[in-house]
Amino acid sequence: MKSDFFKSLTFRSWLYFSSFAVALIATIWVLQLLMMDPYYRSAKEESIQNVADQVKSALQEESPYLDYALNDIAVNNGVCFSIYQLSSTSYKEVISLKDGIGSPCYLNLPSSIFQPLTLATRMAESNETVLTDYVNNLNYPGEMILYTEKLDFHLSNYYLIVNSYVEPVDYAYDIIRSQLILTTLIALSLAALLAYLVSRRMSQPIVRMTESARRLGEGDYAVMFSGSNNFYTELDELADTLNYATGELSRMDELRRDLVANVSHDIKTPLTMIRAYAEMVRDLTGQDPEKREQHLEVIITEANHLDRLVTDMLELSRLQAAALQLNKKVFPFHQPIREIMSVLEGAFLRQDVMHKEEFCEDVSVYGDPVKIAQVVYNFIDNAIKHSQPKTLVTIKTTRRRGGVIRLEVIDNGSGIAAKDLPYIWDRYYRTDKKYQRAAEGSGLGLAIAKGILQAHQAKFGVNSSVGEGSTFWFEMKIASAEDKEK
Ligand code: ADP
């Protein structure tokens, strides 16, 4: 696989984080720069109006210290102002200039430039009581604000004209710009660092898991997938799932190996016997009817065993392909059990195992009696095979709540270790790994039983402890009126 750095999780998430930071900061820049000027101007207009209000209230107080008070207002607010009596033809300075800004004050300019009369005319024309202008003073490089308000006392045309700088906007611009540059740098470095850390946290487990998956692909089932150590739930869950899958794969692999070993052994043993006995009949015992009968009997038994093995294998593969044809009908639950008990009577005798039947009142169930008989056969046959002579196998049926009847096959045999319990229903799983010809079986019985019971949607299970014995059980629904009509 080609590893392309520019498509890596690390690079991509770094890129996204950083782009996000850049976009965010760019937005702040644009908003600040675009909005600051109008915002500052309106703030300035408001503050100059405020100065005008202060002047008006000082005038109304008629205090003997009016002159001081007006001076204070000019100095404290960084403005200069005068009050004029204006008409369309003349003007008179009523309260002389109060100056808090010095030479840049627009009101100081020669009357060729600062023309109070124009203001009077404009106000008369526009019918406004307030005028706000932005002007430039040659004595001063920045823009200035010129505020004119008509004062409504003494019935004469009195005007208050206030002047101040707008320039602090530029000053504020500078401060904000340098702050923004600093913020941008810090935010970008933080974004880059954060992106690096986050993406590393995310990509490292993935890289590790990819490596583990590669090893798994090469057949190393001991491999462990480690997630993000509780950092990302999804990655931890992925690691758990992969570990589970690895466990299952490894088990399947072991089963497959067992299968090859078992099947080849299962098939080879009877084949060897068949060949040996057939040769014996041909070469030695052909003329001796008694010996020949014996030897032919062995050949038939072994051929039967082979037949059963192959039938089981076929049946199981059909079950697994879900191609099992169920021939369902209503039948008395005890019927297949009794049939199997009579079939296995000889086996009980041979193994010297005792049996007891504890049946409840019989009920009808709906299913395939032949397949159910196969399950019963497998449970009881296993119980016999795993019991010691003179021990008891109990076949018990009980009615249970929820309209169910249950069969239990209870033995006092070898029992099954807890570690094996979950697997005995798998194909070819044998608790005893060594092949034992004595315990004849294909290792497929319980897998087939499971398939049949699942096809009947029947509950089933086993309770077992080593040395004490096992109880294999399954439950079937009692047939309903509709089942009986089918
Ligand atoms: P087998 O043909 O080997 O009996 P099964 O599928 O019927 O195969 O059973 C699988 C395994 O489960 C057996 O090999 C045995 O180890 C275990 N087992 C099944 N039934 C019993 C039982 N009644 N007591 C102890 N072990 C059992």
Side-chain angles (χ1 to χ4, degrees):
M1 248 176 294
K2 196 163 68 92
S3 73
D4 187 345
F5 173 74
F6 294 106
K7 285 189 181 161
S8 68
L9 198 67
T10 315
F11 178 74
R12 288 265 157 128
S13 46
W14 175 83
L15 190 70
Y16 294 146
F17 258 98
S18 308
S19 317
F20 177 68
V22 168
L24 201 69
I25 286 165
T27 318
I28 296 176
W29 270 82
V30 170
L31 286 184
Q32 287 274 15
L33 299 186
L34 282 185
M35 285 173 50
M36 217 169 71
D37 199 38
Y39 172 78
Y40 192 80
R41 275 171 190 252
S42 82
K44 195 74 199 176
E45 283 168 19
E46 218 170 277
S47 86
I48 216 159
Q49 210 151 11
N50 189 277
V51 173
D53 291 344
Q54 287 181 36
V55 173
K56 280 190 285 179
S57 52
L59 288 175
Q60 268 158 3
E61 272 177 24
E62 295 184 356
S63 135
Y65 304 111
L66 177 66
D67 211 42
Y68 290 113
L70 293 179
N71 256 328
D72 274 358
I73 294 174
V75 172
N76 290 345
N77 293 289
V79 300
C80 65
F81 63 82
S82 281
I83 293 176
Y84 299 87
Q85 195 179 18
L86 295 174
S87 74
S88 56
T89 49
S90 68
Y91 75 90
K92 194 170 95 193
E93 210 175 83
V94 182
I95 286 183
S96 64
L97 184 65
K98 302 293 171 216
D99 189 358
I101 52 179
S103 69
C105 177
Y106 198 74
L107 311 186
N108 270 330
L109 292 175
S111 57
S112 59
I113 300 174
F114 169 53
Q115 296 168 320
L117 287 181
T118 351
L119 292 170
T121 327
R122 270 174 58 206
M123 288 189 96
E125 280 169 4
S126 66
N127 241 350
E128 298 276 352
T129 50
V130 166
L131 273 182
T132 309
D133 289 319
Y134 287 90
V135 291
N136 282 309
N137 182 349
L138 293 179
N139 288 340
Y140 170 72
E143 208 179 22
M144 300 196 92
I145 185 168
L146 194 64
Y147 173 88
T148 313
E149 183 175 345
K150 190 167 185 211
L151 303 176
D152 49 1
F153 42 81
H154 299 310
L155 295 173
S156 287
N157 292 333
Y158 288 101
Y159 292 85
L160 166 66
I161 303 183
V162 189
N163 172 233
S164 177
Y165 312 110
V166 183
E167 166 251 22
V169 174
D170 293 336
Y171 183 60
Y173 260 155
D174 287 346
I175 294 181
I176 289 177
R177 194 173 299 131
S178 55
Q179 267 182 2
L180 268 180
I181 292 175
L182 199 67
T183 319
T184 308
L185 287 177
I186 293 175
L188 273 183
S189 347
L190 273 182
L193 184 73
L194 207 68
Y196 175 71
L197 291 178
V198 170
S199 61
R200 232 170 70 104
R201 264 250 133 114
M202 200 183 319
S203 64
Q204 269 191 344
I206 296 180
V207 170
R208 276 201 308 271
M209 282 195 269
T210 311
E211 171 57 21
S212 304
R214 199 184 51 72
R215 280 172 43 204
L216 179 64
E218 286 166 0
D220 177 2
Y221 295 113
V223 76
M224 279 297 289
F225 289 87
S226 63
S228 61
N229 291 329
N230 289 332
F231 200 74
Y232 295 112
T233 318
E234 290 88 344
L235 288 181
D236 289 339
E237 278 173 3
L238 176 65
D240 286 350
T241 314
L242 286 172
N243 280 329
Y244 173 74
T246 310
E248 288 297 293
L249 271 179
S250 136
R251 220 162 52 73
M252 292 311 286
D253 189 58
E254 202 179 318
L255 280 180
R256 186 182 53 80
R257 265 182 273 142
D258 284 358
L259 162 80
V260 175
N262 288 348
V263 168
S264 41
H265 194 282
D266 275 344
I267 293 180
K268 209 167 161 20
T269 315
L271 276 182
T272 317
M273 302 267 278
I274 289 172
R275 198 182 54 208
Y277 279 83
E279 280 171 1
M280 222 140 53
V281 174
R282 184 192 64 195
D283 301 338
L284 303 170
T285 59
Q287 306 311 324
D288 177 345
E290 199 182 324
K291 281 256 165 74
R292 189 184 61 209
E293 279 309 304
Q294 265 179 17
H295 293 168
L296 286 177
E297 200 50 47
V298 174
I299 293 178
I300 291 168
T301 311
E302 291 303 321
N304 282 342
H305 181 71
L306 264 184
D307 186 45
R308 185 177 150 207
L309 189 70
V310 173
T311 316
D312 277 1
M313 284 162 100
L314 280 178
E315 170 121 15
L316 190 70
S317 67
R318 266 207 300 275
L319 273 173
Q320 282 186 331
L324 178 73
Q325 288 288 318
L326 286 184
N327 193 0
K328 281 190 175 181
K329 57 181 172 194
V330 174
F331 63 92
F333 186 63
H334 290 158
Q335 174 202 308
I337 306 176
R338 291 197 199 286
E339 279 169 18
I340 295 304
M341 283 305 286
S342 66
V343 169
L344 285 172
E345 194 58 45
F348 275 112
L349 281 175
R350 266 197 307 281
Q351 302 280 323
D352 195 12
V353 174
M354 299 177 291
H355 60 85
K356 184 169 85 177
E357 287 163 21
E358 286 178 18
F359 286 179
C360 64
E361 192 194 328
D362 201 4
V363 290
S364 297
V365 292
Y366 182 63
D368 184 336
V370 178
K371 298 291 172 201
I372 293 296
Q374 204 175 336
V375 176
V376 176
Y377 180 95
N378 179 256
F379 281 9
I380 302 179
D381 184 46
N382 275 343
I384 301 172
K385 279 193 298 195
H386 297 281
S387 288
Q388 295 300 316
K390 307 260 184 281
T391 58
L392 181 69
V393 170
T394 309
I395 323 292
K396 182 172 167 186
T397 60
T398 38
R399 291 274 295 270
R400 298 180 72 91
R401 261 184 293 157
V404 209
I405 185 157
R406 177 181 175 121
L407 167 73
E408 285 170 303
V409 177
I410 308 159
D411 68 50
N412 297 295
S414 52
I416 303 165
K419 73 169 175 42
D420 290 321
L421 269 182
Y423 306 119
I424 54 168
W425 305 90
D426 291 349
R427 287 190 287 175
Y428 299 109
Y429 193 87
R430 282 175 168 147
T431 51
D432 183 357
K433 293 285 173 192
K434 287 197 302 299
Y435 177 81
Q436 282 179 318
R437 187 77 176 93
E440 277 182 37
S442 57
L444 297 175
L446 285 179
I448 293 174
K450 174 181 165 186
I452 293 174
L453 291 170
Q454 281 176 339
H456 279 83
Q457 275 111 38
K459 284 191 184 163
F460 61 93
V462 56
N463 305 318
S464 185
S465 50
V466 176
E468 286 177 21
S470 318
T471 301
F472 279 81
W473 61 268
F474 72 87
E475 287 173 356
M476 287 189 82
K477 280 217 175 66
I478 296 171
S480 62
E482 296 127 58
D483 289 334
K484 287 179 184 158
E485 281 164 20
K486 280 185 198 159

